[in-house]
Amino acid sequence: MDNLNLQSVYARKCEVQRIDKASAQQFLDSNHRMGYCSCRYRYALTLDGEILAVATFSQARNILTESGTKRSYEWIRYASKQGYRVLGGMGKLLQYFIDSVHPDDVMTYVDAAYSEGDAYRELGFEKEGLVSKPLFTCIKFRKKISY
């Protein structure tokens, strides 16, 4: 969809709320190119009761560093509703997660075929490296399978 045809909504006008698995799954299967995947934390931005964006995060993974162990979380998915651009949505959902969970670290992956990660850099993420193994996707009986 052309960005000129998107309806823009400011995140500051939206409310953040935790959502259940079924709501996140339905939204992401409809609005994210890779659909839903398993996660521990699910948040939505809503306006007048309508979900306009969803972000999901993993459970903590303990990472051993030179200075000790840190609790690292993965930002797994973010999507806005088709036809909408939620200005500030990623930042508002990330900040809500940080304020609620108090992670030592949040990381994510960016598919270089679709993005260079500029939105994440604007939120304070730093590029750590490249994962060079390609992701192959095929469609089998209308179900996406990645390996």
Side-chain angles (χ1 to χ4, degrees):
M1 176 176 281
D2 186 346
N3 282 342
L4 299 175
N5 294 327
L6 296 177
Q7 181 176 341
S8 294
V9 175
Y10 289 100
R12 67 178 175 260
K13 294 183 176 185
C14 298
E15 291 184 39
V16 178
Q17 55 186 245
R18 286 195 72 167
I19 57 174
D20 61 16
K21 178 182 176 181
S23 298
Q25 186 167 5
Q26 180 181 16
F27 186 89
L28 290 170
D29 283 346
S30 298
N31 297 286
H32 192 283
R33 69 179 183 81
M34 293 178 67
Y36 179 82
C37 78
S38 182
C39 59
R40 171 68 175 90
Y41 299 93
R42 298 168 292 272
Y43 301 99
L45 282 176
T46 63
L47 182 63
D48 299 327
E50 180 181 11
I51 297 177
L52 296 182
V54 166
T56 64
F57 299 85
S58 71
Q59 64 186 9
R61 294 179 182 100
N62 291 322
I63 306 295
L64 187 59
T65 67
E66 291 178 9
S67 60
T69 302
K70 67 179 178 180
R71 290 174 19 260
S72 180
Y73 296 78
E74 180 181 348
W75 186 347
I76 299 174
R77 296 279 191 267
Y78 173 83
S80 55
K81 185 175 179 177
Q82 287 185 20
Y84 287 83
R85 175 178 35 217
V86 183
L87 302 167
M90 291 177 74
K92 186 166 184 168
L93 288 169
L94 176 63
Q95 191 61 56
Y96 190 89
F97 172 74
I98 290 169
D99 292 343
S100 300
V101 178
H102 308 288
D104 296 326
D105 180 73
V106 178
M107 59 78 62
T108 193
Y109 296 97
V110 176
D111 187 336
Y114 295 92
S115 170
E116 297 201 14
D118 293 339
Y120 294 98
R121 276 192 288 283
E122 288 177 20
L123 294 171
F125 284 82
E126 298 174 4
K127 183 177 177 181
E128 290 285 328
L130 296 173
V131 178
S132 59
K133 182 181 174 187
L135 173 68
F136 295 97
T137 303
C138 64
I139 305 297
K140 181 176 181 180
F141 304 109
R142 296 185 182 183
K143 181 177 181 183
K144 188 180 341 183
I145 300 170
S146 298
Y147 55 93

